[in-house]
Amino acid sequence: MKRNFTLILSIVCALNCSPQSRVDLTPLFLAAINLSQTSESQNEFPFRVISPQEGEILTVYRSETTVQANSEGEFEIFHEGKKLFTFPSSPSSPQTSPAFKPKNGENSIQIHFKKPDGTTFQKEINFYFGTKLSAGAAHSGFLKNGNVYTVGRNNFGQLGTGHSTGDNNNDVIVPLDSIRDIFSIHFNQNNSMAIAKNGSVYTWGNNAKGQLGIGNNNNPNPKEAGDRLPPTLVPGIDDAVMGAYGFNHALILKSDGTLVSFGQNNVGQLGNGEVNLNVNSFSTNPVAVVNLRDVIQVIAGSEHSAALTENGEVYVWGKNQYGNLGNGRLSAANTVQSTPVKVEGLSGIKQIANGRDHILALASDGKIYSWGLNASGQLGIGGSGFPNPTPIPTQVLNITNASSVWAGGTQSFSILKSGEVKGWGANGNTANLAIGETNTSKVYEPNKAVVGIENVIHFGCGATHNFALLGNGEIYGWGWNFKGSLGRQDLQSNWGAPNPVSITLP
């Protein structure tokens, strides 16, 4: 700055000289401009954070930091104030830190960059680990500031209020005052789960197959009004980081990378290696899933379960009627697979999702692979009419830059790195894809979906209704409003909303 001032002063003096002594000032002006630009360049922030993004929501139990510097120097990565990694910068390309485990709920990372001259620059990025939106067959859940809100069908007590009026509409969103400090929710079919920041697990809803994991399968008549179990603590679990519900079974991912499961086990969906299973097989208490370690994500479909491991591999167990296992074969509906099976042909997978009987896998290069049931086009691989199941991972068409995948029922979604949302699968009268109309019954390959809103960062997918969370905190829902599941009193029940509608929590 001192050099700039000296040069500018020289120019001013030159301008005040007599006409006879004036010289061409162009070189001086150019030099001043060049020095000014150099000074500004030196004051620019010397690195950028590529991931995680501020406010990002992670649904995989794994985090890493990607940065890029514009000069030589050294990076230090801190998580919650604790230094994790140190590495030299490489200005020619982005650099990714080793992976680390996020904590339940809110997280912060601090990135320090030190130049060779000792100058240090710092940035802090805040992100979230957990699921904030979830939906079942006809009920819905929302998480805000550690509090759970529910709406929709409540015949099994799946709203968690401790009481049911039978199978009536419930279109008013209600808070659950009996549980607090929740960081993640997981709903499906007629069940609900909430995980507290301290690793405790609460379940409620249908318990006919012991899928609450509380040691019994007591279940009231869903057609009758009366008391229902409120959110109930699952005994013996205090280190949960993620959960998943299938139609009648549940899985819990623990902080050590292992899984436990409970509920129905007719085709081995609990993954505990049990044999001689039948339609009456179930476990009312958590049992260990065998032969799996280093799990970072778990999901569940109708009667299958799937897990993603730290090294990017996918394992599936349970039902294989529609090629759910991804092993190239279709099996009889009652065929048992009670141990996890690796899905061959996949590598570098960073996220998985599933609907009723189909599975999506997002690779690190932005491509998506799918397999399983495809009657509604939910695999996104083209076709018409009622396509046959596909029992091997097949690349989803027209997407090479996905940042996340989501699925529910017979519909699928992807948020692209550009921020655009693509959808495919069932639509029709239930308006699953939010494409603005219901005349299109099925979409066989990815197309523009969730029209009218932007900056979607998080999904909650149900059987035929879905929700999206925007970067500004707003929530939108669409699809079949069965039993008031969209939480809008002004919408007709049993009607499909083809455009996203705003959802307001009390």
PDB file of all heavy atoms in Angstrom, residues 130-151:
ATOM      1  N   GLY A 130     -27.716 -36.371  10.304  1.00  0.00           N
ATOM      2  CA  GLY A 130     -28.983 -36.925  10.754  1.00  0.00           C
ATOM      3  C   GLY A 130     -30.058 -36.721   9.709  1.00  0.00           C
ATOM      4  O   GLY A 130     -29.833 -36.083   8.675  1.00  0.00           O
ATOM      5  N   THR A 131     -31.239 -37.267   9.965  1.00  0.00           N
ATOM      6  CA  THR A 131     -32.373 -37.155   9.054  1.00  0.00           C
ATOM      7  C   THR A 131     -33.444 -36.276   9.684  1.00  0.00           C
ATOM      8  O   THR A 131     -33.919 -36.566  10.783  1.00  0.00           O
ATOM      9  CB  THR A 131     -32.960 -38.546   8.739  1.00  0.00           C
ATOM     10  OG1 THR A 131     -31.944 -39.345   8.121  1.00  0.00           O
ATOM     11  CG2 THR A 131     -34.145 -38.446   7.802  1.00  0.00           C
ATOM     12  N   LYS A 132     -33.826 -35.202   8.989  1.00  0.00           N
ATOM     13  CA  LYS A 132     -34.771 -34.234   9.540  1.00  0.00           C
ATOM     14  C   LYS A 132     -36.190 -34.392   9.010  1.00  0.00           C
ATOM     15  O   LYS A 132     -37.123 -33.808   9.565  1.00  0.00           O
ATOM     16  CB  LYS A 132     -34.285 -32.810   9.253  1.00  0.00           C
ATOM     17  CG  LYS A 132     -33.025 -32.415  10.018  1.00  0.00           C
ATOM     18  CD  LYS A 132     -32.732 -30.938   9.834  1.00  0.00           C
ATOM     19  CE  LYS A 132     -31.583 -30.485  10.723  1.00  0.00           C
ATOM     20  NZ  LYS A 132     -31.362 -29.023  10.633  1.00  0.00           N
ATOM     21  N   LEU A 133     -36.357 -35.122   7.913  1.00  0.00           N
ATOM     22  CA  LEU A 133     -37.679 -35.356   7.332  1.00  0.00           C
ATOM     23  C   LEU A 133     -37.839 -36.845   7.094  1.00  0.00           C
ATOM     24  O   LEU A 133     -36.900 -37.517   6.660  1.00  0.00           O
ATOM     25  CB  LEU A 133     -37.828 -34.629   5.992  1.00  0.00           C
ATOM     26  CG  LEU A 133     -37.627 -33.114   5.954  1.00  0.00           C
ATOM     27  CD1 LEU A 133     -37.715 -32.617   4.514  1.00  0.00           C
ATOM     28  CD2 LEU A 133     -38.659 -32.407   6.817  1.00  0.00           C
ATOM     29  N   SER A 134     -39.044 -37.378   7.346  1.00  0.00           N
ATOM     30  CA  SER A 134     -39.280 -38.789   7.086  1.00  0.00           C
ATOM     31  C   SER A 134     -40.772 -39.018   6.894  1.00  0.00           C
ATOM     32  O   SER A 134     -41.599 -38.217   7.341  1.00  0.00           O
ATOM     33  CB  SER A 134     -38.752 -39.646   8.246  1.00  0.00           C
ATOM     34  OG  SER A 134     -38.611 -40.992   7.856  1.00  0.00           O
ATOM     35  N   ALA A 135     -41.114 -40.115   6.226  1.00  0.00           N
ATOM     36  CA  ALA A 135     -42.523 -40.401   5.952  1.00  0.00           C
ATOM     37  C   ALA A 135     -42.729 -41.898   5.817  1.00  0.00           C
ATOM     38  O   ALA A 135     -41.823 -42.633   5.418  1.00  0.00           O
ATOM     39  CB  ALA A 135     -42.978 -39.691   4.678  1.00  0.00           C
ATOM     40  N   GLY A 136     -43.935 -42.346   6.163  1.00  0.00           N
ATOM     41  CA  GLY A 136     -44.293 -43.748   6.039  1.00  0.00           C
ATOM     42  C   GLY A 136     -45.334 -43.944   4.964  1.00  0.00           C
ATOM     43  O   GLY A 136     -45.378 -43.207   3.972  1.00  0.00           O
ATOM     44  N   ALA A 137     -46.209 -44.930   5.167  1.00  0.00           N
ATOM     45  CA  ALA A 137     -47.260 -45.175   4.184  1.00  0.00           C
ATOM     46  C   ALA A 137     -48.201 -43.985   4.103  1.00  0.00           C
ATOM     47  O   ALA A 137     -48.572 -43.542   3.016  1.00  0.00           O
ATOM     48  CB  ALA A 137     -48.030 -46.440   4.550  1.00  0.00           C
ATOM     49  N   ALA A 138     -48.597 -43.447   5.248  1.00  0.00           N
ATOM     50  CA  ALA A 138     -49.525 -42.312   5.252  1.00  0.00           C
ATOM     51  C   ALA A 138     -49.336 -41.434   6.483  1.00  0.00           C
ATOM     52  O   ALA A 138     -50.259 -40.757   6.906  1.00  0.00           O
ATOM     53  CB  ALA A 138     -50.963 -42.808   5.175  1.00  0.00           C
ATOM     54  N   HIS A 139     -48.146 -41.462   7.071  1.00  0.00           N
ATOM     55  CA  HIS A 139     -47.861 -40.532   8.162  1.00  0.00           C
ATOM     56  C   HIS A 139     -46.503 -39.889   7.914  1.00  0.00           C
ATOM     57  O   HIS A 139     -45.702 -40.383   7.113  1.00  0.00           O
ATOM     58  CB  HIS A 139     -47.934 -41.217   9.529  1.00  0.00           C
ATOM     59  CG  HIS A 139     -46.783 -42.124   9.859  1.00  0.00           C
ATOM     60  ND1 HIS A 139     -46.499 -43.279   9.150  1.00  0.00           N
ATOM     61  CD2 HIS A 139     -45.840 -42.062  10.845  1.00  0.00           C
ATOM     62  CE1 HIS A 139     -45.453 -43.884   9.682  1.00  0.00           C
ATOM     63  NE2 HIS A 139     -45.027 -43.160  10.708  1.00  0.00           N
ATOM     64  N   SER A 140     -46.261 -38.777   8.584  1.00  0.00           N
ATOM     65  CA  SER A 140     -45.094 -37.962   8.271  1.00  0.00           C
ATOM     66  C   SER A 140     -44.460 -37.434   9.543  1.00  0.00           C
ATOM     67  O   SER A 140     -45.138 -37.224  10.556  1.00  0.00           O
ATOM     68  CB  SER A 140     -45.501 -36.775   7.388  1.00  0.00           C
ATOM     69  OG  SER A 140     -46.314 -37.193   6.309  1.00  0.00           O
ATOM     70  N   GLY A 141     -43.144 -37.197   9.460  1.00  0.00           N
ATOM     71  CA  GLY A 141     -42.419 -36.665  10.602  1.00  0.00           C
ATOM     72  C   GLY A 141     -41.467 -35.559  10.204  1.00  0.00           C
ATOM     73  O   GLY A 141     -40.894 -35.570   9.111  1.00  0.00           O
ATOM     74  N   PHE A 142     -41.316 -34.603  11.110  1.00  0.00           N
ATOM     75  CA  PHE A 142     -40.438 -33.458  10.890  1.00  0.00           C
ATOM     76  C   PHE A 142     -39.618 -33.236  12.160  1.00  0.00           C
ATOM     77  O   PHE A 142     -40.117 -33.409  13.269  1.00  0.00           O
ATOM     78  CB  PHE A 142     -41.250 -32.195  10.588  1.00  0.00           C
ATOM     79  CG  PHE A 142     -42.354 -32.398   9.594  1.00  0.00           C
ATOM     80  CD1 PHE A 142     -43.635 -32.732  10.026  1.00  0.00           C
ATOM     81  CD2 PHE A 142     -42.123 -32.282   8.234  1.00  0.00           C
ATOM     82  CE1 PHE A 142     -44.670 -32.933   9.116  1.00  0.00           C
ATOM     83  CE2 PHE A 142     -43.144 -32.481   7.318  1.00  0.00           C
ATOM     84  CZ  PHE A 142     -44.424 -32.810   7.757  1.00  0.00           C
ATOM     85  N   LEU A 143     -38.385 -32.819  11.982  1.00  0.00           N
ATOM     86  CA  LEU A 143     -37.500 -32.577  13.117  1.00  0.00           C
ATOM     87  C   LEU A 143     -36.983 -31.148  13.052  1.00  0.00           C
ATOM     88  O   LEU A 143     -36.467 -30.712  12.022  1.00  0.00           O
ATOM     89  CB  LEU A 143     -36.328 -33.563  13.079  1.00  0.00           C
ATOM     90  CG  LEU A 143     -35.286 -33.468  14.192  1.00  0.00           C
ATOM     91  CD1 LEU A 143     -35.916 -33.718  15.554  1.00  0.00           C
ATOM     92  CD2 LEU A 143     -34.155 -34.459  13.941  1.00  0.00           C
ATOM     93  N   LYS A 144     -37.141 -30.430  14.158  1.00  0.00           N
ATOM     94  CA  LYS A 144     -36.656 -29.054  14.221  1.00  0.00           C
ATOM     95  C   LYS A 144     -36.200 -28.751  15.641  1.00  0.00           C
ATOM     96  O   LYS A 144     -36.949 -28.938  16.595  1.00  0.00           O
ATOM     97  CB  LYS A 144     -37.758 -28.073  13.798  1.00  0.00           C
ATOM     98  CG  LYS A 144     -37.302 -26.622  13.754  1.00  0.00           C
ATOM     99  CD  LYS A 144     -38.416 -25.709  13.264  1.00  0.00           C
ATOM    100  CE  LYS A 144     -37.947 -24.263  13.195  1.00  0.00           C
ATOM    101  NZ  LYS A 144     -39.035 -23.361  12.716  1.00  0.00           N
ATOM    102  N   ASN A 145     -34.959 -28.315  15.750  1.00  0.00           N
ATOM    103  CA  ASN A 145     -34.390 -27.932  17.045  1.00  0.00           C
ATOM    104  C   ASN A 145     -34.534 -29.031  18.095  1.00  0.00           C
ATOM    105  O   ASN A 145     -34.826 -28.766  19.262  1.00  0.00           O
ATOM    106  CB  ASN A 145     -35.034 -26.640  17.550  1.00  0.00           C
ATOM    107  CG  ASN A 145     -34.788 -25.467  16.625  1.00  0.00           C
ATOM    108  OD1 ASN A 145     -33.747 -25.379  15.978  1.00  0.00           O
ATOM    109  ND2 ASN A 145     -35.753 -24.562  16.539  1.00  0.00           N
ATOM    110  N   GLY A 146     -34.354 -30.276  17.670  1.00  0.00           N
ATOM    111  CA  GLY A 146     -34.411 -31.394  18.597  1.00  0.00           C
ATOM    112  C   GLY A 146     -35.797 -31.879  18.934  1.00  0.00           C
ATOM    113  O   GLY A 146     -35.957 -32.826  19.718  1.00  0.00           O
ATOM    114  N   ASN A 147     -36.828 -31.259  18.348  1.00  0.00           N
ATOM    115  CA  ASN A 147     -38.216 -31.628  18.624  1.00  0.00           C
ATOM    116  C   ASN A 147     -38.832 -32.324  17.417  1.00  0.00           C
ATOM    117  O   ASN A 147     -38.567 -31.951  16.269  1.00  0.00           O
ATOM    118  CB  ASN A 147     -39.035 -30.386  18.975  1.00  0.00           C
ATOM    119  CG  ASN A 147     -38.513 -29.688  20.211  1.00  0.00           C
ATOM    120  OD1 ASN A 147     -38.255 -30.319  21.229  1.00  0.00           O
ATOM    121  ND2 ASN A 147     -38.331 -28.375  20.127  1.00  0.00           N
ATOM    122  N   VAL A 148     -39.683 -33.323  17.673  1.00  0.00           N
ATOM    123  CA  VAL A 148     -40.324 -34.104  16.621  1.00  0.00           C
ATOM    124  C   VAL A 148     -41.773 -33.664  16.467  1.00  0.00           C
ATOM    125  O   VAL A 148     -42.486 -33.459  17.460  1.00  0.00           O
ATOM    126  CB  VAL A 148     -40.270 -35.612  16.942  1.00  0.00           C
ATOM    127  CG1 VAL A 148     -40.962 -36.422  15.848  1.00  0.00           C
ATOM    128  CG2 VAL A 148     -38.825 -36.074  17.108  1.00  0.00           C
ATOM    129  N   TYR A 149     -42.203 -33.542  15.214  1.00  0.00           N
ATOM    130  CA  TYR A 149     -43.582 -33.198  14.881  1.00  0.00           C
ATOM    131  C   TYR A 149     -44.118 -34.267  13.934  1.00  0.00           C
ATOM    132  O   TYR A 149     -43.392 -34.737  13.050  1.00  0.00           O
ATOM    133  CB  TYR A 149     -43.650 -31.830  14.201  1.00  0.00           C
ATOM    134  CG  TYR A 149     -43.083 -30.701  15.027  1.00  0.00           C
ATOM    135  CD1 TYR A 149     -41.709 -30.469  15.075  1.00  0.00           C
ATOM    136  CD2 TYR A 149     -43.914 -29.865  15.762  1.00  0.00           C
ATOM    137  CE1 TYR A 149     -41.181 -29.440  15.836  1.00  0.00           C
ATOM    138  CE2 TYR A 149     -43.394 -28.824  16.526  1.00  0.00           C
ATOM    139  CZ  TYR A 149     -42.026 -28.618  16.555  1.00  0.00           C
ATOM    140  OH  TYR A 149     -41.509 -27.593  17.308  1.00  0.00           O
ATOM    141  N   THR A 150     -45.390 -34.660  14.099  1.00  0.00           N
ATOM    142  CA  THR A 150     -45.963 -35.713  13.265  1.00  0.00           C
ATOM    143  C   THR A 150     -47.350 -35.327  12.768  1.00  0.00           C
ATOM    144  O   THR A 150     -48.022 -34.465  13.340  1.00  0.00           O
ATOM    145  CB  THR A 150     -46.065 -37.041  14.042  1.00  0.00           C
ATOM    146  OG1 THR A 150     -46.904 -36.848  15.195  1.00  0.00           O
ATOM    147  CG2 THR A 150     -44.701 -37.531  14.487  1.00  0.00           C
ATOM    148  N   VAL A 151     -47.789 -36.017  11.704  1.00  0.00           N
ATOM    149  CA  VAL A 151     -49.113 -35.775  11.135  1.00  0.00           C
ATOM    150  C   VAL A 151     -49.487 -36.967  10.264  1.00  0.00           C
ATOM    151  O   VAL A 151     -48.620 -37.695   9.779  1.00  0.00           O
ATOM    152  CB  VAL A 151     -49.122 -34.461  10.309  1.00  0.00           C
ATOM    153  CG1 VAL A 151     -48.347 -34.618   8.997  1.00  0.00           C
ATOM    154  CG2 VAL A 151     -50.537 -33.967  10.053  1.00  0.00           C
TER     155      VAL A 151
END
